[in-house]
Amino acid sequence: MTLPLAFTSPCDDCNAHIDNTFDLMAVLDRHGIILRVNPAVRDILGYQPAELAGRSCYDVLHPDDRSALEELGVAVRAGADCRERELRWLCKDGRVIYLSMSGRWSEVEGLMYASARDVTEPRLASAALRQSRERMNVMLESIGDAFVSLDRGWRIVYANRKAARFVGVEPGSGVGRPLLEVVPQLEGTVLMAHYRAAMESGQPAMAEVEWHPGAWIEMRAYPTEDGLSVYFHDITEKRSAADALRKSEARFRNLFQQAGDSILIADRELRVVAANGRACAHFGYAEHEFVGRSVRDIDDGYTYDAALFDSLRAGNTHLLRITKRRRDGSTFPAEVHVSLFEEGGQVYFQAIIRDLTERDQAERRLRESEQRFREVIEMTPSGYVLASAAGRILDVNPALCALAGQARDALVGRCLDELFVAFPWSSLARAGNAGVQGVEAVIRHAHGHALHVLFNGSVRRGADGVLESVTGLMTDITDRKQAEHRLHELATHDTLTGLPNRALLHERVQAMLGRCAADAAVAVMFLDLDRFKEINDSFGHELGDELLCEVAARLRSALRPGDVVARLGGDEFVVAADCGSGAAAAARIGAKLLQTLTAPVRIGAQDVIIGASIGISLYPQDGTTRELLFQAADTAMYRAKNAGRNRYRFFEAAMTQAAQARMALEVSLRPALARQEFELHYQPRIDLDGMTVVGFEALIRWQHPQLGRVPPGEFIGIAEETGLIVAIGGWVLREACLQTRRLVEELGRPLRVSVNVSARQLAQPGFVGEVRTVLESSGLAPHCLELEVTESALIEDMERTAAMLGELQGLGVKLAVDDFGTGYSGLAYLRRFPIDVLKLDRSFVMQEDGRISAFDFIKAFVDMAHALRMQVVAEGVETAEVLDFLRAASCDEAQGYLLARPIPLDALGALLRAG
């Protein structure tokens, strides 16, 4: 940039003016080179004009202002005016001065014309004034008072922040504005009246004024030539404190007079100078009689020594036990709290006197009470303990020593946690001062065993709420806890095997489902022992129970600690196990359980092999609730039984469909008898000697209105389970007897009808009477009726069954054992029952064991049956070879598809009539 001073005018007067002016003038080129400068440069910068000619103006410019000068040069050359711009320049002697510059650019000549004057001193003076004002403002802001300066026109000249904050305006917002415009609430106030009085009189004004209800200020207003200076500050707290002091003094006077203790104030000569109302009343003096009296007049010979006074002067207080004397001469024990204080340069003694008569009596009664308490504690059968806040035992009674098996000295001083296996600290903490009642705890006996106690405790706390001591009484409930444990075991465990029962099983399975990971599974297995009923009935219930206990032990040993095995009842067990790999892990467990149960079990003097049918359901795929899993496992278990037993089956959706179909069949079965949907078919029985029909077996058939003919195998089992078999069996018995009697009458020759009787029918108390009634009502001769029972039905209740069969035989009815060879009985065993006929099961007829031929076996069996006066009927004869085989073995009768299929009544009649 260029700021030159050049003079091209030829006018000498102009040159003289330029050379003699006090302002610096210069001509510069566009690069800032000084072409010419007037002599004023000597006075301003200290340079000779010739010293600056040809030099850059930046040589004498302060470095920090270079960018400002460059920007200014660009603007001036662009046509802008430059007037009074202040920049810093460097004098030859090193001083820095401020020059106020003006300049103009000549585009024609390409020159800059500039002039400047020294403004350093005015600038410094202005800065000093500004600093002075800032210091004043800082001082006014820092004082403790709010301050306002007003001119004669009541305009605000200045207000510090405290003043602005006090009236609720922004600092500086009121300057220049009338006072009442900024603070209109001043109008008509006592405070404004003080301001006006000070302004008009020229005298300072000071006052304490209530600014608004409950808020007071102290104001000081000082008039000046220019107006008014006002200082004020909030004295609300000071006034409140003074008011509180006055009230405190009044309260002290009231307390002094109304205190429950006697209070005396005496001078250094121990003469009473003040006595409260309680002292006057207690000692029997009026106040004016007490004042001036010596303290020794009310002391019963007590001597005050010099050491006491020295200690009181040192600032100590003393608690004395003195016998005091009343005006009437009576005395009383007193506790005197003596202290010294000064007032108005005088020393006074203050004595607070408390009559100890009642306290001494109370302490005596307390000692007596404590003695009685100690005697009760010593005699009580409940254990007693007193402990400190830290849990250290302070006292015990003999009963607790007996409970713990330790002497008193061995217990006192020990920690409660050493005596108690678990001390109910938390219960005491929650109960607070109320204490606890009936909390169960456990203490350690000296011999090492634990004793259960019922703990009643309380805590003692100080005035600050801090625990000081714990007191407890406890009663031995070990026997009760053991009984409760036994009851719990009975409620949650099977009494025979010790396994969890249904209730505990539900709880544990639910817990397993709750903690099962998302990628894991829980297997529920329903396990039912195969043919347990036959074993139980054959060997007796006692040995059957031994078998169940052995099964329970084997199941436990085969499972992991975290698995669950429970007994639901009878021969039904349930296993629940975590299976990380799902069905594969469950299959391994199922196989292991079956293998565990296949080993022979010693029952009495005989080894028995017991199998099981296991149904398995998996969580979550087969059900997400315990109930669904149990239902699925139960369904799968019945499928395993139907599949041949001694195996496991996983639940499949189709099983549910089958179960639903079975349920629907059960619903239809209930009204079937009333709807007359049943009919009888008959399968002829052939005498193997003459190959003639000598009888027939009555077989029920169900004609369902929607499903058509339902096979007996599908509904007989349902009828057995639901008990419908009793009514259905009764109908079969009546129909078979009635229809047979008609055939006998029509054909004129004897025929025997064989009717199957279920175990449920035999269990009916009136079954014999029912048979008798049917025979009488149908007119069928008793010897024409043969009742078939299974081996399992025979041994259900052998004594009762034998008696019932004896009654039936007494009616003349023939008795047969159906499916002989599939159960556990033998010929010798059957001698206990009045059996007439043995019906050999087809599997029994066809068996081969390699040691003896089937013929020889059956031949020997038939001979033995004949020796026992029993006939033998072979069932399921389907081939001529089997028929020849049986005839050669001297079997009495046979039935089967080879000889005749089951046929309706009319077809049977036709067959019999044909010969």
Side-chain angles (χ1 to χ4, degrees):
M1 146 166 212
T2 19
L3 291 176
L5 272 232
F7 306 97
T8 58
S9 173
C11 178
D12 291 338
D13 289 340
C14 290
N15 290 337
H17 176 73
I18 291 170
D19 289 339
N20 291 289
T21 185
F22 293 108
D23 291 343
L24 187 150
M25 294 186 179
V27 179
L28 300 90
D29 64 12
R30 68 174 56 252
H31 301 296
I33 301 300
I34 302 173
L35 302 179
R36 183 179 175 188
V37 64
N38 71 343
V41 72
R42 289 193 299 270
D43 298 326
I44 295 175
L45 294 178
Y47 289 97
Q48 294 296 330
E51 290 180 284
L52 294 180
R55 293 178 62 184
S56 171
C57 66
Y58 295 107
D59 292 345
V60 291
L61 179 71
H62 192 284
D64 293 343
D65 287 351
R66 182 182 181 95
S67 60
L69 185 59
E70 288 175 348
E71 294 175 359
L72 183 60
V74 172
V76 171
R77 287 194 297 275
D81 289 338
C82 174
R83 298 178 185 275
E84 302 299 330
R85 290 295 301 274
E86 293 184 4
L87 296 173
R88 289 170 292 177
W89 297 84
L90 302 176
C91 296
K92 187 174 182 179
D93 59 7
R95 290 180 298 110
V96 177
I97 64 173
Y98 285 87
L99 298 182
S100 177
M101 301 179 56
S102 301
R104 186 183 299 276
W105 171 256
S106 174
E107 186 65 35
V108 176
E109 297 174 347
L111 297 175
M112 177 74 74
Y113 297 92
S115 64
R117 70 176 188 279
D118 189 354
V119 294
T120 303
E121 289 186 5
R123 186 181 180 89
L124 291 176
S126 176
L129 179 59
R130 186 168 58 254
Q131 291 177 354
S132 176
R133 288 176 179 171
E134 289 175 355
R135 285 195 296 272
M136 177 63 73
N137 290 343
V138 170
M139 181 186 69
L140 292 174
E141 289 292 341
S142 62
I143 63 175
D145 288 349
F147 171 77
V148 179
S149 177
L150 303 170
D151 64 12
R152 287 281 175 180
W154 296 99
R155 285 181 173 80
I156 298 173
V157 177
Y158 176 81
N160 67 1
R161 292 180 179 273
K162 291 184 179 67
R165 195 161 49 243
F166 190 84
V167 297
V169 299
E170 289 293 324
S173 64
V175 174
R177 295 168 58 193
L179 176 63
L180 293 178
E181 179 184 314
V182 178
V183 194
Q185 59 266 40
L186 275 173
E187 185 64 61
T189 63
V190 175
L191 190 60
M192 191 66 194
H194 284 299
Y195 291 167
R196 286 196 173 101
M199 184 83 82
E200 292 169 1
S201 67
Q203 297 298 319
M206 289 173 281
E208 292 183 0
V209 180
E210 189 173 24
W211 171 243
H212 56 77
W216 289 78
I217 62 171
E218 182 182 83
M219 175 277 299
R220 302 186 307 280
Y222 300 98
T224 65
E225 293 181 0
D226 300 326
L228 193 66
S229 295
V230 179
Y231 299 85
F232 61 92
H233 62 272
D234 191 340
I235 61 169
T236 304
E237 291 185 3
K238 185 179 83 170
R239 287 182 67 92
S240 298
D243 185 56
L245 179 60
R246 287 191 298 273
K247 292 179 180 178
S248 176
E249 289 175 347
R251 284 195 299 272
F252 173 76
R253 172 55 56 185
N254 289 335
L255 288 173
F256 178 76
Q257 289 298 335
Q258 299 172 9
D261 293 328
S262 300
I263 303 177
L264 298 178
I265 297 176
D267 61 16
R268 62 189 308 155
E269 303 301 328
L270 297 183
R271 288 188 300 270
V272 176
V273 297
N276 70 347
R278 178 66 175 170
C280 294
H282 204 69
F283 283 91
Y285 295 98
E287 186 175 1
H288 70 276
E289 294 175 324
F290 230 143
V291 173
R293 187 174 295 276
S294 174
V295 170
R296 293 183 178 87
D297 293 343
I298 61 172
D299 289 341
D300 193 25
Y302 186 81
T303 302
Y304 297 93
D305 56 24
L308 173 64
F309 293 118
D310 291 341
S311 177
L312 290 171
R313 291 188 188 97
N316 299 318
T317 61
H318 283 266
L319 186 64
L320 307 177
R321 178 71 182 257
I322 302 176
T323 300
K324 292 291 183 180
R325 184 172 58 250
R326 300 185 183 91
R327 183 176 183 175
D328 62 5
S330 61
T331 60
F332 62 91
E335 186 178 76
V336 183
H337 188 277
V338 184
S339 60
L340 181 147
F341 68 93
E342 292 187 9
E343 185 178 287
Q346 298 295 320
V347 174
Y348 295 95
F349 298 97
Q350 176 179 274
I352 301 175
I353 305 168
R354 177 168 295 174
D355 189 344
L356 298 181
T357 302
E358 292 184 0
R359 194 180 79 178
D360 285 354
Q361 293 173 351
E363 288 179 351
R364 184 176 63 256
R365 288 193 297 270
L366 179 61
R367 287 192 297 272
E368 294 171 354
S369 174
E370 287 178 346
Q371 180 61 31
R372 289 193 298 271
F373 172 76
R374 169 54 59 186
E375 292 172 356
V376 170
I377 288 298
E378 293 292 324
M379 293 186 295
T380 183
S382 298
Y384 162 79
V385 64
L386 174 66
S388 68
R392 291 288 173 187
I393 298 175
L394 304 176
D395 192 16
V396 295
N397 70 341
L400 182 61
C401 295
L403 275 177
Q406 300 187 58
R408 183 179 185 278
D409 293 342
L411 289 173
V412 173
R414 293 176 62 186
C415 185
L416 284 173
D417 291 335
E418 297 180 56
L419 173 62
F420 286 84
V421 175
F423 187 74
W425 286 112
S426 58
S427 298
L428 283 171
R430 287 194 302 271
N433 294 330
V436 295
Q437 299 293 324
V439 176
E440 293 185 3
V442 179
I443 65 173
R444 295 184 180 89
H445 192 273
H447 295 160
H449 61 272
L451 291 174
H452 292 268
V453 296
L454 197 65
F455 182 86
N456 299 321
S458 63
V459 296
R460 180 181 177 186
R461 299 183 185 274
D464 55 0
V466 176
L467 179 68
E468 293 182 348
S469 63
V470 176
T471 302
L473 287 171
M474 62 207 77
T475 305
D476 187 357
I477 59 169
T478 303
D479 291 342
R480 193 193 81 185
K481 292 296 292 184
Q482 291 173 349
E484 288 176 355
H485 178 73
R486 288 193 295 272
L487 288 175
H488 181 266
E489 286 292 310
L490 290 174
T492 59
H493 288 76
D494 175 45
T495 55
L496 176 63
T497 62
L499 294 177
N501 62 9
R502 188 183 301 272
L504 186 56
L505 170 68
H506 287 181
E507 178 183 325
R508 292 189 177 177
V509 170
Q510 194 63 49
M512 294 175 73
L513 300 184
R515 64 173 180 265
C516 181
D519 58 346
V522 174
V524 174
M525 305 182 184
F526 268 44
L527 185 149
D528 192 86
L529 300 182
D530 295 335
R531 299 188 181 279
F532 172 74
K533 190 175 185 305
E534 289 87 340
I535 296 176
N536 195 42
D537 291 338
S538 299
F539 295 99
H541 293 290
E542 184 176 344
L543 294 181
D545 288 347
E546 289 184 17
L547 174 62
L548 290 174
C549 291
E550 175 62 22
V551 169
R554 291 188 182 188
L555 292 177
R556 271 194 296 252
S557 66
L559 294 170
R560 299 163 299 185
D563 297 335
V564 178
V565 56
R567 180 180 176 229
L568 298 185
D571 60 343
E572 294 180 331
F573 295 84
V574 177
V575 170
D578 291 310
C579 296
S581 56
R588 288 193 295 271
I589 295 173
K592 185 177 182 181
L593 295 178
L594 289 176
Q595 182 181 4
T596 300
L597 296 177
T598 55
V601 180
R602 191 71 174 176
I603 299 297
Q606 186 173 343
D607 286 338
V608 174
I609 297 177
I610 187 75
S613 299
I614 302 176
I616 305 174
S617 63
L618 293 174
Y619 170 85
Q621 53 264 48
D622 295 333
T624 56
T625 66
R626 183 190 65 218
E627 291 77 10
L628 290 175
L629 292 170
F630 283 11
Q631 181 180 348
D634 192 36
T635 301
M637 185 267 290
Y638 279 106
R639 182 57 60 90
K641 275 191 175 297
N642 294 335
R645 306 189 180 193
N646 198 34
R647 64 195 64 214
Y648 63 82
R649 283 289 183 269
F650 281 94
F651 173 76
E652 299 173 359
M655 295 181 183
T656 299
Q657 296 170 2
Q660 292 172 348
R662 179 183 175 90
M663 181 62 68
L665 202 61
E666 179 184 334
V667 171
S668 298
L669 184 61
R670 292 185 179 276
L673 188 60
R675 293 175 181 173
Q676 299 181 352
E677 296 174 2
F678 295 118
E679 63 176 322
L680 292 182
H681 284 201
Y682 297 91
Q683 186 174 31
R685 276 173 40 181
I686 308 300
D687 175 61
L688 294 183
D689 282 337
M691 294 303 291
T692 58
V693 177
V694 292
F696 34 81
E697 181 178 359
L699 302 171
I700 191 170
R701 295 294 184 262
W702 181 17
Q703 187 66 31
H704 193 283
Q706 285 83 36
L707 302 177
R709 180 63 58 81
V710 180
E714 294 185 14
F715 71 86
I716 292 297
I718 298 175
E720 289 276 3
E721 292 176 13
T722 59
L724 294 174
I725 194 67
V726 175
I728 294 174
W731 177 84
V732 170
L733 179 63
R734 289 191 299 274
E735 285 296 304
C737 289
L738 184 60
Q739 293 175 4
T740 302
R741 192 264 303 167
R742 290 171 183 169
L743 285 174
V744 170
E745 289 180 350
E746 177 187 349
L747 299 174
R749 64 186 180 92
L751 293 170
R752 183 185 300 168
V753 62
S754 179
V755 178
N756 290 284
V757 177
S758 72
R760 280 184 177 268
Q761 286 178 278
L762 282 180
Q764 299 301 308
F767 180 68
V768 175
E770 180 183 0
V771 173
R772 182 185 294 110
T773 301
V774 169
L775 289 173
E776 293 173 353
S777 62
S778 66
L780 182 67
H783 68 272
C784 292
L785 174 62
E786 181 179 287
L787 298 179
E788 294 186 16
V789 295
T790 61
E791 290 181 79
S792 59
L794 283 178
I795 60 176
E796 183 107 0
D797 184 345
M798 288 189 292
E799 292 184 5
R800 178 181 174 280
T801 302
M804 180 182 291
L805 295 181
E807 291 184 54
L808 290 171
Q809 191 179 52
L811 294 178
V813 173
K814 300 297 183 181
L815 300 174
V817 176
D818 193 17
D819 297 330
F820 185 81
T822 59
Y824 289 89
S825 60
L827 284 174
Y829 190 74
L830 292 178
R831 291 181 62 188
R832 301 178 59 180
F833 303 102
I835 302 301
D836 300 299
V837 179
L838 292 180
K839 298 191 73 173
L840 297 182
D841 185 77
R842 180 177 180 275
S843 60
F844 188 76
V845 173
M846 301 305 296
Q847 66 181 352
E848 291 275 358
D849 65 2
R851 295 173 298 173
I852 184 173
S853 68
F855 174 80
D856 292 336
F857 182 80
I858 294 300
K859 176 61 176 170
F861 183 85
V862 171
D863 290 344
M864 290 180 65
H866 287 165
L868 294 173
R869 296 183 178 84
M870 297 181 189
Q871 284 186 304
V872 179
V873 178
E875 296 182 296
V877 178
E878 298 179 358
T879 65
E881 290 79 8
V882 172
L883 179 61
D884 294 340
F885 173 91
L886 292 170
R887 295 184 70 182
S890 301
C891 184
D892 299 297
E893 298 177 16
Q895 66 184 82
Y897 283 5
L898 175 66
L899 303 171
R901 290 176 175 272
I903 54 179
L905 177 62
D906 55 353
L908 175 64
L911 176 65
L912 293 174
R913 283 190 291 271

